[in-house]
Amino acid sequence: MPGLLRGVARTAVVAGTATAVSNRVSRRQQGRWAQQEAQQQYQYQEQQAPPPPPPAAPADEMTSKIDQLKQLGDLKAQGVLTEAEFEAQKARILG
């Protein structure tokens, strides 16, 4: 009987060790696969990124400058800006 118990115990230890090693290998592989998948997904998203918006059209810039000049003219007409300040700001805007 003691020989039989020893054989059963040895089998249980070997089976338990094999199961533990197998589970550890499986977890490690799953971790590597998840990491590879994340890298591939990042690369895919990087490739699918939309192009940067085009620079502002010259017409938009001109409209903005005209609006700024109108505001300067209004400030000068109200007496907030002197003639020298108005000319300096106008030169800066038209640059």
Side-chain angles (χ1 to χ4, degrees):
M1 192 74 153
L4 180 62
L5 285 176
R6 189 176 298 147
V8 170
R10 183 179 297 145
T11 302
V13 169
V14 170
T17 303
T19 301
V21 170
S22 175
N23 289 339
R24 183 175 175 194
V25 169
S26 293
R27 281 193 305 270
R28 189 179 299 163
Q29 284 178 339
Q30 286 176 350
R32 287 180 185 163
W33 292 337
Q35 187 178 27
Q36 287 175 350
E37 185 178 329
Q39 286 175 349
Q40 289 173 350
Q41 191 173 24
Y42 174 74
Q43 290 172 351
Y44 176 75
Q45 288 174 350
E46 193 174 74
Q47 291 172 353
Q48 298 299 323
D60 291 341
E61 290 178 28
M62 187 57 72
T63 303
S64 174
K65 288 181 180 182
I66 291 171
D67 290 340
Q68 290 176 352
L69 289 173
K70 284 180 183 178
Q71 289 175 351
L72 277 178
D74 291 343
L75 290 174
K76 181 183 170 201
Q78 294 171 3
V80 175
L81 293 176
T82 64
E83 182 67 32
E85 291 172 332
F86 174 77
E87 290 299 325
Q89 291 299 320
K90 183 172 85 170
R92 182 187 61 82
I93 291 171
L94 296 176

